Structures are given as C-alpha cells and as structure tokens.
Amino acid sequence: QVQLVESGGGSVQAGGSLRLSCAASGYPYKSRCMAWFRQVPGKEREWVAAIYTGGGSTYYADSVKGRFTISQDSAKNMFYLQMNGLKAEDTAMYYCAGRLALEERLCSAPPDEYAYWGQGTQVTVSS
C-alpha cells in the first residue's frame, strides 16, 4: 500500500524559507512522477513542481520558478520542496502526490491524474 507523508510546513515571514519533506513507502514502480501541489480554500488544487524519478528531471510552475527546488533522496525514498523567497501568495496547504509515469511529460499532469496523495502540510507566509 502506497503511503505518502508530508512534513515541514509552518509559519514564516515573507522572504523566509521552508523545506517540505515527503516520505514515500510501498511504491510499486521505479519510474514515476512525484509532485507537490498546493491549495487554498475555495480554489482549485494547483500544481507546483514535479520530479521524474526515472531520470531526475524537474519541472516548475512559473509562479515558483527560481524560488522553489524539488529534489529526491532515492536511497531514503524521500522527496523535498525547498522554498525560498516565500511570498504571502504562497500560503496554502501543500500536498505531496505520486503517479506512475513512463514519460517525463506526464509529470505536469493535473491533480486528477495523480493516484497517490499525502494528507497535506500547511504553509503560512505573513507579509
């Protein structure tokens, strides 16, 4: 059974940094996309960043490019989102998600194409 568990959320001031972690277990596939999404109440879940575990390629939404970095520690089955230069508009619940993917382009898929989800971790940025 696949399980994804996020940690690392919290409250920071604008300009600060946070690192989110996602512990993945029970994953049956080696080639997959691991992504971070975020959601604020009343809005759709937004894709933030993804990494293709088959080759390590990374992808970012324009809104976070240059500020956020997604990475993996394959040995530990851990995924991370380093968030620097945080802005008030980054405030959201952040979710780790995963899906089988034989092609890298599938990593930028919308939420309904991701099969596995964590419970979410809250990030609050005050201005």
Side-chain angles (χ1 to χ4, degrees), residues 40-95:
V40 298
K43 292 193 175 181
E44 292 186 354
R45 195 164 291 190
E46 175 190 16
W47 177 86
V48 174
I51 186 166
Y52 182 62
T53 64
S57 299
T58 57
Y59 306 88
Y60 299 94
D62 288 342
S63 58
V64 305
K65 204 170 292 184
R67 300 188 297 122
F68 290 11
T69 303
I70 189 170
S71 62
Q72 62 176 336
D73 183 333
S74 301
K76 296 181 180 178
N77 239 350
M78 293 290 297
F79 300 88
Y80 307 97
L81 185 68
Q82 177 67 43
M83 304 185 294
N84 298 328
L86 282 161
K87 305 175 181 179
E89 52 263 42
D90 294 319
T91 295
M93 184 71 78
Y94 283 71
Y95 298 90

Short mmCIF file of all heavy atoms in Angstrom, two decimals, residues 40-95:
data_model
loop_
_atom_site.label_atom_id
_atom_site.label_comp_id
_atom_site.label_asym_id
_atom_site.label_seq_id
_atom_site.Cartn_x
_atom_site.Cartn_y
_atom_site.Cartn_z
N VAL A 40 -5.59 26.51 -1.73
CA VAL A 40 -6.17 27.42 -0.76
C VAL A 40 -7.67 27.22 -0.79
O VAL A 40 -8.23 26.83 -1.82
CB VAL A 40 -5.80 28.89 -1.04
CG1 VAL A 40 -4.29 29.08 -0.93
CG2 VAL A 40 -6.28 29.33 -2.40
N PRO A 41 -8.34 27.48 0.32
CA PRO A 41 -9.80 27.27 0.36
C PRO A 41 -10.51 28.03 -0.75
O PRO A 41 -10.21 29.20 -1.00
CB PRO A 41 -10.18 27.80 1.74
CG PRO A 41 -8.95 27.64 2.56
CD PRO A 41 -7.80 27.90 1.62
N GLY A 42 -11.42 27.34 -1.41
CA GLY A 42 -12.20 27.96 -2.46
C GLY A 42 -11.56 27.98 -3.83
O GLY A 42 -12.16 28.47 -4.80
N LYS A 43 -10.33 27.47 -3.91
CA LYS A 43 -9.64 27.44 -5.21
C LYS A 43 -9.25 26.02 -5.58
O LYS A 43 -9.19 25.13 -4.73
CB LYS A 43 -8.39 28.32 -5.16
CG LYS A 43 -8.68 29.81 -5.04
CD LYS A 43 -7.44 30.63 -5.32
CE LYS A 43 -7.74 32.11 -5.32
NZ LYS A 43 -6.55 32.93 -5.61
N GLU A 44 -8.98 25.82 -6.86
CA GLU A 44 -8.57 24.50 -7.32
C GLU A 44 -7.15 24.19 -6.85
O GLU A 44 -6.34 25.09 -6.62
CB GLU A 44 -8.62 24.46 -8.86
CG GLU A 44 -10.02 24.53 -9.42
CD GLU A 44 -10.05 24.33 -10.92
OE1 GLU A 44 -8.96 24.24 -11.53
OE2 GLU A 44 -11.14 24.26 -11.48
N ARG A 45 -6.88 22.90 -6.76
CA ARG A 45 -5.55 22.46 -6.39
C ARG A 45 -4.59 22.82 -7.53
O ARG A 45 -4.86 22.56 -8.69
CB ARG A 45 -5.55 20.96 -6.11
CG ARG A 45 -4.34 20.46 -5.40
CD ARG A 45 -4.57 19.09 -4.81
NE ARG A 45 -5.52 19.13 -3.70
CZ ARG A 45 -5.75 18.11 -2.88
NH1 ARG A 45 -5.10 16.96 -3.07
NH2 ARG A 45 -6.63 18.21 -1.92
N GLU A 46 -3.46 23.39 -7.17
CA GLU A 46 -2.51 23.93 -8.15
C GLU A 46 -1.22 23.11 -8.16
O GLU A 46 -0.63 22.86 -7.10
CB GLU A 46 -2.19 25.39 -7.79
CG GLU A 46 -1.13 26.05 -8.65
CD GLU A 46 -0.68 27.39 -8.09
OE1 GLU A 46 -0.94 27.69 -6.93
OE2 GLU A 46 -0.04 28.14 -8.86
N TRP A 47 -0.79 22.72 -9.34
CA TRP A 47 0.48 22.02 -9.50
C TRP A 47 1.62 23.00 -9.27
O TRP A 47 1.61 24.11 -9.81
CB TRP A 47 0.54 21.42 -10.90
CG TRP A 47 1.81 20.72 -11.26
CD1 TRP A 47 2.13 19.43 -11.01
CD2 TRP A 47 2.92 21.29 -11.97
NE1 TRP A 47 3.37 19.16 -11.52
CE2 TRP A 47 3.87 20.27 -12.11
CE3 TRP A 47 3.18 22.54 -12.49
CZ2 TRP A 47 5.08 20.47 -12.76
CZ3 TRP A 47 4.39 22.74 -13.14
CH2 TRP A 47 5.32 21.71 -13.26
N VAL A 48 2.60 22.61 -8.46
CA VAL A 48 3.70 23.50 -8.09
C VAL A 48 5.02 23.05 -8.72
O VAL A 48 5.73 23.83 -9.34
CB VAL A 48 3.86 23.56 -6.56
CG1 VAL A 48 5.09 24.37 -6.16
CG2 VAL A 48 2.60 24.14 -5.91
N ALA A 49 5.34 21.78 -8.54
CA ALA A 49 6.63 21.27 -9.03
C ALA A 49 6.55 19.75 -9.10
O ALA A 49 5.74 19.14 -8.40
CB ALA A 49 7.77 21.69 -8.12
N ALA A 50 7.41 19.17 -9.93
CA ALA A 50 7.44 17.71 -10.04
C ALA A 50 8.84 17.25 -10.40
O ALA A 50 9.63 18.00 -10.98
CB ALA A 50 6.44 17.23 -11.09
N ILE A 51 9.10 16.00 -10.06
CA ILE A 51 10.38 15.39 -10.41
C ILE A 51 10.10 14.01 -10.99
O ILE A 51 9.23 13.27 -10.50
CB ILE A 51 11.31 15.30 -9.18
CG1 ILE A 51 12.69 14.79 -9.58
CG2 ILE A 51 10.71 14.46 -8.06
CD1 ILE A 51 13.75 15.01 -8.50
N TYR A 52 10.79 13.69 -12.08
CA TYR A 52 10.64 12.40 -12.71
C TYR A 52 11.72 11.49 -12.15
O TYR A 52 12.91 11.70 -12.39
CB TYR A 52 10.79 12.53 -14.23
CG TYR A 52 10.59 11.24 -14.97
CD1 TYR A 52 9.38 10.57 -14.91
CD2 TYR A 52 11.62 10.69 -15.74
CE1 TYR A 52 9.20 9.38 -15.59
CE2 TYR A 52 11.46 9.50 -16.43
CZ TYR A 52 10.24 8.85 -16.34
OH TYR A 52 10.07 7.67 -17.02
N THR A 53 11.31 10.48 -11.37
CA THR A 53 12.30 9.69 -10.66
C THR A 53 13.12 8.81 -11.60
O THR A 53 14.22 8.40 -11.24
CB THR A 53 11.62 8.79 -9.61
OG1 THR A 53 10.77 7.85 -10.27
CG2 THR A 53 10.79 9.61 -8.64
N GLY A 54 12.59 8.57 -12.80
CA GLY A 54 13.34 7.75 -13.75
C GLY A 54 14.63 8.39 -14.21
O GLY A 54 15.59 7.70 -14.52
N GLY A 55 14.66 9.73 -14.27
CA GLY A 55 15.87 10.39 -14.76
C GLY A 55 16.27 11.61 -13.96
O GLY A 55 17.35 12.16 -14.16
N GLY A 56 15.39 12.03 -13.04
CA GLY A 56 15.72 13.18 -12.19
C GLY A 56 15.34 14.52 -12.75
O GLY A 56 15.62 15.55 -12.13
N SER A 57 14.68 14.56 -13.91
CA SER A 57 14.25 15.85 -14.47
C SER A 57 13.25 16.52 -13.55
O SER A 57 12.43 15.86 -12.93
CB SER A 57 13.63 15.64 -15.84
OG SER A 57 14.56 15.09 -16.74
N THR A 58 13.34 17.84 -13.48
CA THR A 58 12.45 18.60 -12.62
C THR A 58 11.65 19.62 -13.42
O THR A 58 12.10 20.09 -14.47
CB THR A 58 13.24 19.33 -11.52
OG1 THR A 58 14.23 20.18 -12.13
CG2 THR A 58 13.93 18.33 -10.60
N TYR A 59 10.48 19.96 -12.90
CA TYR A 59 9.56 20.86 -13.58
C TYR A 59 8.93 21.77 -12.54
O TYR A 59 8.67 21.34 -11.41
CB TYR A 59 8.47 20.05 -14.30
CG TYR A 59 9.04 19.01 -15.22
CD1 TYR A 59 9.34 17.72 -14.76
CD2 TYR A 59 9.33 19.31 -16.55
CE1 TYR A 59 9.90 16.78 -15.59
CE2 TYR A 59 9.90 18.37 -17.39
CZ TYR A 59 10.17 17.10 -16.90
OH TYR A 59 10.73 16.16 -17.73
N TYR A 60 8.68 23.03 -12.94
CA TYR A 60 8.16 24.01 -12.01
C TYR A 60 7.08 24.85 -12.66
O TYR A 60 7.15 25.18 -13.83
CB TYR A 60 9.28 24.94 -11.54
CG TYR A 60 10.39 24.22 -10.81
CD1 TYR A 60 11.53 23.78 -11.48
CD2 TYR A 60 10.29 23.97 -9.44
CE1 TYR A 60 12.54 23.10 -10.81
CE2 TYR A 60 11.29 23.31 -8.76
CZ TYR A 60 12.41 22.86 -9.45
OH TYR A 60 13.40 22.21 -8.78
N ALA A 61 6.11 25.24 -11.82
CA ALA A 61 5.15 26.24 -12.25
C ALA A 61 5.88 27.58 -12.35
O ALA A 61 6.82 27.86 -11.60
CB ALA A 61 4.01 26.33 -11.24
N ASP A 62 5.42 28.41 -13.27
CA ASP A 62 6.06 29.72 -13.47
C ASP A 62 6.07 30.54 -12.18
O ASP A 62 7.00 31.30 -11.94
CB ASP A 62 5.34 30.50 -14.57
CG ASP A 62 5.62 29.91 -15.96
OD1 ASP A 62 6.60 29.15 -16.10
OD2 ASP A 62 4.85 30.24 -16.88
N SER A 63 5.04 30.38 -11.37
CA SER A 63 4.91 31.20 -10.16
C SER A 63 5.97 30.89 -9.11
O SER A 63 6.20 31.71 -8.21
CB SER A 63 3.52 31.00 -9.55
OG SER A 63 3.30 29.63 -9.25
N VAL A 64 6.64 29.74 -9.22
CA VAL A 64 7.63 29.38 -8.20
C VAL A 64 9.03 29.18 -8.80
O VAL A 64 9.99 28.97 -8.05
CB VAL A 64 7.22 28.09 -7.44
CG1 VAL A 64 5.82 28.26 -6.86
CG2 VAL A 64 7.30 26.86 -8.33
N LYS A 65 9.13 29.26 -10.10
CA LYS A 65 10.42 29.02 -10.77
C LYS A 65 11.46 30.00 -10.26
O LYS A 65 11.20 31.20 -10.14
CB LYS A 65 10.24 29.17 -12.28
CG LYS A 65 11.26 28.43 -13.11
CD LYS A 65 10.87 28.44 -14.59
CE LYS A 65 9.65 27.61 -14.86
NZ LYS A 65 9.31 27.54 -16.29
N GLY A 66 12.61 29.48 -9.90
CA GLY A 66 13.69 30.32 -9.38
C GLY A 66 13.65 30.49 -7.88
O GLY A 66 14.62 30.97 -7.28
N ARG A 67 12.55 30.10 -7.25
CA ARG A 67 12.43 30.23 -5.79
C ARG A 67 12.33 28.87 -5.11
O ARG A 67 12.82 28.70 -4.00
CB ARG A 67 11.20 31.06 -5.42
CG ARG A 67 11.22 32.47 -5.97
CD ARG A 67 10.06 33.30 -5.41
NE ARG A 67 8.75 32.78 -5.80
CZ ARG A 67 7.81 32.40 -4.95
NH1 ARG A 67 8.02 32.49 -3.63
NH2 ARG A 67 6.64 31.96 -5.39
N PHE A 68 11.66 27.92 -5.75
CA PHE A 68 11.45 26.59 -5.18
C PHE A 68 12.33 25.58 -5.89
O PHE A 68 12.59 25.70 -7.09
CB PHE A 68 9.99 26.16 -5.34
CG PHE A 68 9.00 26.92 -4.50
CD1 PHE A 68 9.35 28.08 -3.82
CD2 PHE A 68 7.69 26.48 -4.41
CE1 PHE A 68 8.42 28.76 -3.06
CE2 PHE A 68 6.75 27.14 -3.65
CZ PHE A 68 7.12 28.30 -2.98
N THR A 69 12.74 24.56 -5.15
CA THR A 69 13.54 23.48 -5.72
C THR A 69 13.00 22.15 -5.23
O THR A 69 12.91 21.94 -4.01
CB THR A 69 15.02 23.60 -5.33
OG1 THR A 69 15.53 24.87 -5.75
CG2 THR A 69 15.83 22.50 -5.99
N ILE A 70 12.67 21.27 -6.16
CA ILE A 70 12.23 19.93 -5.81
C ILE A 70 13.42 18.98 -5.95
O ILE A 70 14.23 19.13 -6.87
CB ILE A 70 11.04 19.47 -6.68
CG1 ILE A 70 10.44 18.16 -6.16
CG2 ILE A 70 11.42 19.36 -8.15
CD1 ILE A 70 9.12 17.77 -6.83
N SER A 71 13.51 18.04 -5.02
CA SER A 71 14.64 17.11 -5.07
C SER A 71 14.21 15.77 -4.46
O SER A 71 13.14 15.66 -3.88
CB SER A 71 15.84 17.67 -4.32
OG SER A 71 15.53 17.88 -2.95
N GLN A 72 15.08 14.79 -4.64
CA GLN A 72 14.78 13.47 -4.09
C GLN A 72 16.02 12.85 -3.47
O GLN A 72 17.15 13.17 -3.85
CB GLN A 72 14.25 12.54 -5.19
CG GLN A 72 15.24 12.27 -6.32
CD GLN A 72 14.71 11.28 -7.34
OE1 GLN A 72 13.84 10.46 -7.05
NE2 GLN A 72 15.22 11.34 -8.56
N ASP A 73 15.79 12.00 -2.51
CA ASP A 73 16.83 11.14 -1.96
C ASP A 73 16.34 9.71 -2.21
O ASP A 73 15.53 9.19 -1.44
CB ASP A 73 17.02 11.42 -0.47
CG ASP A 73 18.15 10.60 0.13
OD1 ASP A 73 18.44 9.50 -0.39
OD2 ASP A 73 18.73 11.04 1.13
N SER A 74 16.80 9.14 -3.31
CA SER A 74 16.30 7.84 -3.73
C SER A 74 16.55 6.76 -2.70
O SER A 74 15.72 5.87 -2.48
CB SER A 74 16.95 7.43 -5.06
OG SER A 74 16.67 8.38 -6.05
N ALA A 75 17.68 6.83 -2.03
CA ALA A 75 18.04 5.80 -1.06
C ALA A 75 17.06 5.78 0.11
O ALA A 75 16.77 4.72 0.67
CB ALA A 75 19.45 6.03 -0.56
N LYS A 76 16.55 6.94 0.44
CA LYS A 76 15.63 7.05 1.59
C LYS A 76 14.17 7.11 1.15
O LYS A 76 13.29 7.16 2.00
CB LYS A 76 15.96 8.29 2.41
CG LYS A 76 17.33 8.27 3.05
CD LYS A 76 17.57 9.54 3.86
CE LYS A 76 18.93 9.52 4.52
NZ LYS A 76 19.19 10.76 5.28
N ASN A 77 13.94 7.14 -0.16
CA ASN A 77 12.58 7.31 -0.68
C ASN A 77 11.92 8.58 -0.13
O ASN A 77 10.77 8.57 0.30
CB ASN A 77 11.72 6.10 -0.35
CG ASN A 77 11.17 5.45 -1.60
OD1 ASN A 77 11.28 5.98 -2.70
ND2 ASN A 77 10.57 4.29 -1.44
N MET A 78 12.70 9.63 -0.15
CA MET A 78 12.23 10.93 0.34
C MET A 78 12.23 11.95 -0.78
O MET A 78 13.08 11.91 -1.67
CB MET A 78 13.15 11.44 1.46
CG MET A 78 13.11 10.62 2.73
SD MET A 78 11.55 10.79 3.63
CE MET A 78 11.59 12.54 4.05
N PHE A 79 11.27 12.86 -0.72
CA PHE A 79 11.17 13.95 -1.69
C PHE A 79 11.04 15.24 -0.93
O PHE A 79 10.46 15.27 0.17
CB PHE A 79 9.96 13.74 -2.61
CG PHE A 79 10.06 12.46 -3.37
CD1 PHE A 79 9.58 11.28 -2.84
CD2 PHE A 79 10.67 12.43 -4.62
CE1 PHE A 79 9.70 10.08 -3.53
CE2 PHE A 79 10.80 11.25 -5.31
CZ PHE A 79 10.32 10.07 -4.76
N TYR A 80 11.59 16.30 -1.50
CA TYR A 80 11.66 17.56 -0.80
C TYR A 80 11.21 18.71 -1.69
O TYR A 80 11.33 18.65 -2.91
CB TYR A 80 13.10 17.83 -0.32
CG TYR A 80 13.69 16.70 0.48
CD1 TYR A 80 14.52 15.75 -0.11
CD2 TYR A 80 13.41 16.57 1.84
CE1 TYR A 80 15.06 14.71 0.62
CE2 TYR A 80 13.95 15.53 2.58
CZ TYR A 80 14.76 14.61 1.97
OH TYR A 80 15.29 13.58 2.71
N LEU A 81 10.74 19.75 -1.04
CA LEU A 81 10.47 21.01 -1.74
C LEU A 81 11.11 22.11 -0.90
O LEU A 81 10.60 22.45 0.17
CB LEU A 81 8.98 21.26 -1.91
CG LEU A 81 8.63 22.49 -2.74
CD1 LEU A 81 9.04 22.26 -4.21
CD2 LEU A 81 7.14 22.81 -2.66
N GLN A 82 12.22 22.62 -1.39
CA GLN A 82 12.88 23.74 -0.73
C GLN A 82 12.25 25.01 -1.26
O GLN A 82 12.25 25.26 -2.47
CB GLN A 82 14.39 23.73 -1.04
CG GLN A 82 15.14 24.90 -0.45
CD GLN A 82 15.17 24.88 1.06
OE1 GLN A 82 15.39 23.84 1.67
NE2 GLN A 82 14.96 26.04 1.68
N MET A 83 11.71 25.81 -0.35
CA MET A 83 11.00 27.02 -0.74
C MET A 83 11.74 28.23 -0.17
O MET A 83 11.82 28.39 1.05
CB MET A 83 9.57 26.97 -0.21
CG MET A 83 8.80 25.74 -0.66
SD MET A 83 7.07 25.76 -0.17
CE MET A 83 7.24 25.68 1.61
N ASN A 84 12.28 29.04 -1.06
CA ASN A 84 12.99 30.25 -0.67
C ASN A 84 12.25 31.47 -1.19
O ASN A 84 11.42 31.37 -2.10
CB ASN A 84 14.41 30.25 -1.25
CG ASN A 84 15.24 29.09 -0.74
OD1 ASN A 84 15.09 28.64 0.40
ND2 ASN A 84 16.15 28.60 -1.58
N GLY A 85 12.53 32.61 -0.61
CA GLY A 85 11.87 33.84 -1.06
C GLY A 85 10.36 33.74 -0.99
O GLY A 85 9.67 34.19 -1.91
N LEU A 86 9.86 33.19 0.10
CA LEU A 86 8.42 32.96 0.20
C LEU A 86 7.64 34.27 0.18
O LEU A 86 8.09 35.29 0.72
CB LEU A 86 8.11 32.16 1.46
CG LEU A 86 8.41 30.66 1.32
CD1 LEU A 86 8.52 30.01 2.69
CD2 LEU A 86 7.34 29.98 0.49
N LYS A 87 6.48 34.19 -0.46
CA LYS A 87 5.59 35.33 -0.57
C LYS A 87 4.25 34.99 0.09
O LYS A 87 3.92 33.81 0.24
CB LYS A 87 5.35 35.67 -2.05
CG LYS A 87 6.61 35.91 -2.86
CD LYS A 87 6.28 36.12 -4.32
CE LYS A 87 7.54 36.33 -5.14
NZ LYS A 87 7.22 36.52 -6.59
N ALA A 88 3.49 36.03 0.41
CA ALA A 88 2.18 35.79 1.03
C ALA A 88 1.30 34.90 0.16
O ALA A 88 0.54 34.07 0.66
CB ALA A 88 1.49 37.13 1.31
N GLU A 89 1.43 35.06 -1.15
CA GLU A 89 0.59 34.26 -2.06
C GLU A 89 1.01 32.79 -2.14
O GLU A 89 0.34 31.98 -2.79
CB GLU A 89 0.58 34.87 -3.47
CG GLU A 89 1.95 35.16 -4.05
CD GLU A 89 2.37 36.61 -3.85
OE1 GLU A 89 2.16 37.16 -2.74
OE2 GLU A 89 2.94 37.18 -4.80
N ASP A 90 2.09 32.43 -1.48
CA ASP A 90 2.48 31.02 -1.38
C ASP A 90 1.73 30.31 -0.25
O ASP A 90 1.84 29.08 -0.11
CB ASP A 90 3.98 30.88 -1.15
CG ASP A 90 4.81 31.36 -2.32
OD1 ASP A 90 4.44 31.07 -3.47
OD2 ASP A 90 5.85 32.03 -2.08
N THR A 91 1.00 31.06 0.55
CA THR A 91 0.23 30.47 1.63
C THR A 91 -0.79 29.48 1.10
O THR A 91 -1.59 29.83 0.22
CB THR A 91 -0.48 31.57 2.44
OG1 THR A 91 0.50 32.39 3.08
CG2 THR A 91 -1.40 30.96 3.49
N ALA A 92 -0.74 28.25 1.59
CA ALA A 92 -1.63 27.20 1.09
C ALA A 92 -1.37 25.91 1.87
O ALA A 92 -0.39 25.81 2.61
CB ALA A 92 -1.39 26.94 -0.40
N MET A 93 -2.24 24.95 1.66
CA MET A 93 -1.97 23.58 2.08
C MET A 93 -1.17 22.93 0.96
O MET A 93 -1.60 22.97 -0.20
CB MET A 93 -3.27 22.83 2.33
CG MET A 93 -3.09 21.43 2.88
SD MET A 93 -2.52 21.42 4.58
CE MET A 93 -4.07 21.78 5.43
N TYR A 94 -0.06 22.35 1.30
CA TYR A 94 0.80 21.72 0.31
C TYR A 94 0.68 20.20 0.41
O TYR A 94 0.75 19.63 1.51
CB TYR A 94 2.26 22.14 0.52
CG TYR A 94 2.54 23.53 -0.01
CD1 TYR A 94 2.04 24.66 0.64
CD2 TYR A 94 3.28 23.73 -1.17
CE1 TYR A 94 2.27 25.94 0.15
CE2 TYR A 94 3.53 25.00 -1.67
CZ TYR A 94 3.02 26.09 -1.00
OH TYR A 94 3.25 27.36 -1.49
N TYR A 95 0.53 19.57 -0.76
CA TYR A 95 0.35 18.13 -0.83
C TYR A 95 1.44 17.49 -1.68
O TYR A 95 1.79 17.98 -2.74
CB TYR A 95 -1.00 17.79 -1.46
CG TYR A 95 -2.20 18.28 -0.70
CD1 TYR A 95 -2.74 19.53 -0.95
CD2 TYR A 95 -2.79 17.48 0.27
CE1 TYR A 95 -3.85 19.98 -0.25
CE2 TYR A 95 -3.91 17.92 0.98
CZ TYR A 95 -4.43 19.17 0.71
OH TYR A 95 -5.53 19.61 1.41
#
